[in-house]
Amino acid sequence: MPEDRRGPVPEADAEQSWQEALAAGLVGRSKDPLNCELTPPMLGDEVTPERRFFRRNHFPMPVLNPASWRLAVGGLVREPLSLHLSELRELPAESVTVTLECAGNGRTGFSPPVPGERWDLGAVSTARWTGARLSDVLDRAGIRPSAREVVFRGADGGPLPEVPGPVRFERSLPLADALRSGALLAYEMNGEPLPVAHGFPVRLIVPGWYAVAAVKWLTEIEVVGEPFLGFFQDSHYVYEWSRDGRAEREPVRVQRVRAMIVAPAAGAQVAGDELAISGVAWSGAAHVTHVEVTVDAAGTPGTGIADTGTWRPAELAGPASRFGWQRWQLRVRGVPAGTARVRARAADAAGNNQLAEPEWNALGYGGNFVHEVTVTVG
Ligand SMILES: Nc1nc2c(c(=O)[nH]1)N[C@H]1C(S)=C(S)[C@@H](COP(=O)(O)O)O[C@H]1N2
Ligand SMILES: [Mo]
């Protein structure tokens, strides 16, 4: 059981949470801690219903009491704060639709294989988050000039095989990102109070960043003057590249551009010679400017698929929200009967696009592989 300043915190029932996730159609990866993902055909909603939102935890989920919960804001500030939930709710509220993607989404696509949770392609979901602006809270506390980073601490924690002693889930943001990324201290998800699985009563939301930044069950914000080197900051959630024989490290930050095919589903049997292809696409760095689709047809089942290399632009069907995924669609006619392979790739306004194989890194982050599904037409 994790401890916070006021003593041990009760935990959600692991078996019950797991059963609820499976009943909602999620694919279970681990029961305790609870980790589960969607399948690509489940990704098409403008916002993902909460029961079908992916879950990613490193520890058992704490059940916090909203009456005694406080958000402590301290460190290099002029006036340390201890905010009640009601005080946070009295600040100007903002709502933003944000796609959260786990940095390890797609990890099973890396070759050679990498360690870590065995995510396929569904550790991603979108919700409308409502909360107070982080910058308002930091302004109220008053940042001191020596501040460099802001550390966010969750109420969850426990032992990890890799390190001695218990670890809390904590992450930092550079001060500029804490103030200017549009980060929210969110207390609502899709218009309802945040559920326990997603960080009740308050979580951080950092639009555009991989979801590891979105600290759940937030209890403390600490402004610090040195780079923060916690386990989830400096040992994990770091790209470890090997470039020209040299090891390079880079912190995991914004989401890489990615398109996912929602329909048709892999393995579908499609009647006729027309494919109605649709999906979602997002990017942390800039808005998605285009999605392209290619259909390679074998003609006769079993003869192998010819790579036609013709990428056609899909229609971006909105909503044109900057931080939530966009839906896209395309109809392709005259597809020969037999096996067809459909691929989709996205590009953003910052010039990022998707490679067939994202760069291999030792912990398997940022795996924005081009999504492909194979279907039978005819
Ligand atoms: N306190 C806390 N916050 C956390 C985590 C965690 O284990 N504990 N996991 C992070 C990671 S790696 C991801 S991908 C997202 C998952 O958010 P979700 O479970 O709401 O989908 O939460 C992030 N915030
Ligand atoms: Mo994650």
PDB file of all heavy atoms in Angstrom, residues 14-27:
ATOM      1  N   ALA A  14      -8.032  -4.920  -7.590  1.00  0.00           N
ATOM      2  CA  ALA A  14      -7.373  -5.237  -8.863  1.00  0.00           C
ATOM      3  C   ALA A  14      -8.237  -6.161  -9.723  1.00  0.00           C
ATOM      4  O   ALA A  14      -8.377  -5.946 -10.930  1.00  0.00           O
ATOM      5  CB  ALA A  14      -6.008  -5.871  -8.602  1.00  0.00           C
ATOM      6  N   GLU A  15      -8.832  -7.177  -9.104  1.00  0.00           N
ATOM      7  CA  GLU A  15      -9.627  -8.150  -9.864  1.00  0.00           C
ATOM      8  C   GLU A  15     -10.843  -7.470 -10.501  1.00  0.00           C
ATOM      9  O   GLU A  15     -11.145  -7.669 -11.674  1.00  0.00           O
ATOM     10  CB  GLU A  15     -10.052  -9.287  -8.923  1.00  0.00           C
ATOM     11  CG  GLU A  15     -10.895 -10.379  -9.571  1.00  0.00           C
ATOM     12  CD  GLU A  15     -10.145 -11.147 -10.673  1.00  0.00           C
ATOM     13  OE1 GLU A  15      -8.915 -11.323 -10.545  1.00  0.00           O
ATOM     14  OE2 GLU A  15     -10.802 -11.542 -11.663  1.00  0.00           O
ATOM     15  N   GLN A  16     -11.511  -6.647  -9.689  1.00  0.00           N
ATOM     16  CA  GLN A  16     -12.717  -5.974 -10.200  1.00  0.00           C
ATOM     17  C   GLN A  16     -12.371  -5.007 -11.345  1.00  0.00           C
ATOM     18  O   GLN A  16     -13.061  -4.965 -12.365  1.00  0.00           O
ATOM     19  CB  GLN A  16     -13.379  -5.229  -9.049  1.00  0.00           C
ATOM     20  CG  GLN A  16     -14.745  -4.678  -9.409  1.00  0.00           C
ATOM     21  CD  GLN A  16     -15.298  -3.780  -8.308  1.00  0.00           C
ATOM     22  OE1 GLN A  16     -14.920  -3.907  -7.141  1.00  0.00           O
ATOM     23  NE2 GLN A  16     -16.164  -2.872  -8.673  1.00  0.00           N
ATOM     24  N   SER A  17     -11.296  -4.254 -11.177  1.00  0.00           N
ATOM     25  CA  SER A  17     -10.898  -3.296 -12.222  1.00  0.00           C
ATOM     26  C   SER A  17     -10.560  -4.033 -13.517  1.00  0.00           C
ATOM     27  O   SER A  17     -10.884  -3.576 -14.621  1.00  0.00           O
ATOM     28  CB  SER A  17      -9.674  -2.495 -11.774  1.00  0.00           C
ATOM     29  OG  SER A  17      -9.893  -1.909 -10.526  1.00  0.00           O
ATOM     30  N   TRP A  18      -9.921  -5.161 -13.377  1.00  0.00           N
ATOM     31  CA  TRP A  18      -9.535  -5.991 -14.542  1.00  0.00           C
ATOM     32  C   TRP A  18     -10.781  -6.518 -15.245  1.00  0.00           C
ATOM     33  O   TRP A  18     -10.895  -6.420 -16.471  1.00  0.00           O
ATOM     34  CB  TRP A  18      -8.664  -7.109 -14.005  1.00  0.00           C
ATOM     35  CG  TRP A  18      -8.266  -8.216 -14.925  1.00  0.00           C
ATOM     36  CD1 TRP A  18      -8.744  -9.502 -14.903  1.00  0.00           C
ATOM     37  CD2 TRP A  18      -7.258  -8.190 -15.954  1.00  0.00           C
ATOM     38  NE1 TRP A  18      -8.108 -10.260 -15.847  1.00  0.00           N
ATOM     39  CE2 TRP A  18      -7.190  -9.491 -16.511  1.00  0.00           C
ATOM     40  CE3 TRP A  18      -6.414  -7.200 -16.454  1.00  0.00           C
ATOM     41  CZ2 TRP A  18      -6.313  -9.818 -17.543  1.00  0.00           C
ATOM     42  CZ3 TRP A  18      -5.540  -7.535 -17.478  1.00  0.00           C
ATOM     43  CH2 TRP A  18      -5.498  -8.825 -18.015  1.00  0.00           C
ATOM     44  N   GLN A  19     -11.723  -7.047 -14.467  1.00  0.00           N
ATOM     45  CA  GLN A  19     -12.947  -7.600 -15.063  1.00  0.00           C
ATOM     46  C   GLN A  19     -13.740  -6.510 -15.786  1.00  0.00           C
ATOM     47  O   GLN A  19     -14.291  -6.744 -16.855  1.00  0.00           O
ATOM     48  CB  GLN A  19     -13.821  -8.277 -13.994  1.00  0.00           C
ATOM     49  CG  GLN A  19     -13.228  -9.558 -13.413  1.00  0.00           C
ATOM     50  CD  GLN A  19     -12.907 -10.619 -14.474  1.00  0.00           C
ATOM     51  OE1 GLN A  19     -13.466 -10.626 -15.563  1.00  0.00           O
ATOM     52  NE2 GLN A  19     -11.966 -11.508 -14.154  1.00  0.00           N
ATOM     53  N   GLU A  20     -13.791  -5.321 -15.186  1.00  0.00           N
ATOM     54  CA  GLU A  20     -14.517  -4.221 -15.829  1.00  0.00           C
ATOM     55  C   GLU A  20     -13.864  -3.844 -17.161  1.00  0.00           C
ATOM     56  O   GLU A  20     -14.553  -3.580 -18.146  1.00  0.00           O
ATOM     57  CB  GLU A  20     -14.547  -2.991 -14.907  1.00  0.00           C
ATOM     58  CG  GLU A  20     -15.574  -3.125 -13.797  1.00  0.00           C
ATOM     59  CD  GLU A  20     -15.420  -2.058 -12.719  1.00  0.00           C
ATOM     60  OE1 GLU A  20     -14.585  -1.133 -12.879  1.00  0.00           O
ATOM     61  OE2 GLU A  20     -16.124  -2.173 -11.708  1.00  0.00           O
ATOM     62  N   ALA A  21     -12.550  -3.825 -17.175  1.00  0.00           N
ATOM     63  CA  ALA A  21     -11.829  -3.467 -18.407  1.00  0.00           C
ATOM     64  C   ALA A  21     -12.098  -4.507 -19.494  1.00  0.00           C
ATOM     65  O   ALA A  21     -12.371  -4.155 -20.647  1.00  0.00           O
ATOM     66  CB  ALA A  21     -10.330  -3.344 -18.119  1.00  0.00           C
ATOM     67  N   LEU A  22     -12.053  -5.777 -19.122  1.00  0.00           N
ATOM     68  CA  LEU A  22     -12.282  -6.830 -20.120  1.00  0.00           C
ATOM     69  C   LEU A  22     -13.728  -6.790 -20.612  1.00  0.00           C
ATOM     70  O   LEU A  22     -13.991  -6.958 -21.809  1.00  0.00           O
ATOM     71  CB  LEU A  22     -11.964  -8.211 -19.529  1.00  0.00           C
ATOM     72  CG  LEU A  22     -10.514  -8.434 -19.070  1.00  0.00           C
ATOM     73  CD1 LEU A  22     -10.313  -9.890 -18.658  1.00  0.00           C
ATOM     74  CD2 LEU A  22      -9.502  -8.031 -20.134  1.00  0.00           C
ATOM     75  N   ALA A  23     -14.665  -6.529 -19.688  1.00  0.00           N
ATOM     76  CA  ALA A  23     -16.075  -6.465 -20.075  1.00  0.00           C
ATOM     77  C   ALA A  23     -16.326  -5.320 -21.056  1.00  0.00           C
ATOM     78  O   ALA A  23     -17.221  -5.388 -21.888  1.00  0.00           O
ATOM     79  CB  ALA A  23     -16.953  -6.304 -18.832  1.00  0.00           C
ATOM     80  N   ALA A  24     -15.521  -4.267 -20.969  1.00  0.00           N
ATOM     81  CA  ALA A  24     -15.669  -3.125 -21.889  1.00  0.00           C
ATOM     82  C   ALA A  24     -15.019  -3.406 -23.246  1.00  0.00           C
ATOM     83  O   ALA A  24     -15.064  -2.560 -24.136  1.00  0.00           O
ATOM     84  CB  ALA A  24     -15.052  -1.876 -21.265  1.00  0.00           C
ATOM     85  N   GLY A  25     -14.386  -4.568 -23.394  1.00  0.00           N
ATOM     86  CA  GLY A  25     -13.790  -4.933 -24.675  1.00  0.00           C
ATOM     87  C   GLY A  25     -12.315  -4.598 -24.784  1.00  0.00           C
ATOM     88  O   GLY A  25     -11.718  -4.748 -25.851  1.00  0.00           O
ATOM     89  N   LEU A  26     -11.713  -4.117 -23.681  1.00  0.00           N
ATOM     90  CA  LEU A  26     -10.286  -3.800 -23.724  1.00  0.00           C
ATOM     91  C   LEU A  26      -9.480  -5.103 -23.724  1.00  0.00           C
ATOM     92  O   LEU A  26      -9.940  -6.144 -23.246  1.00  0.00           O
ATOM     93  CB  LEU A  26      -9.900  -2.939 -22.514  1.00  0.00           C
ATOM     94  CG  LEU A  26     -10.468  -1.521 -22.551  1.00  0.00           C
ATOM     95  CD1 LEU A  26     -10.330  -0.838 -21.192  1.00  0.00           C
ATOM     96  CD2 LEU A  26      -9.783  -0.680 -23.622  1.00  0.00           C
ATOM     97  N   VAL A  27      -8.276  -5.025 -24.260  1.00  0.00           N
ATOM     98  CA  VAL A  27      -7.370  -6.173 -24.278  1.00  0.00           C
ATOM     99  C   VAL A  27      -6.456  -6.042 -23.068  1.00  0.00           C
ATOM    100  O   VAL A  27      -5.739  -5.047 -22.931  1.00  0.00           O
ATOM    101  CB  VAL A  27      -6.520  -6.174 -25.571  1.00  0.00           C
ATOM    102  CG1 VAL A  27      -5.596  -7.379 -25.606  1.00  0.00           C
ATOM    103  CG2 VAL A  27      -7.421  -6.127 -26.801  1.00  0.00           C
TER     104      VAL A  27
END
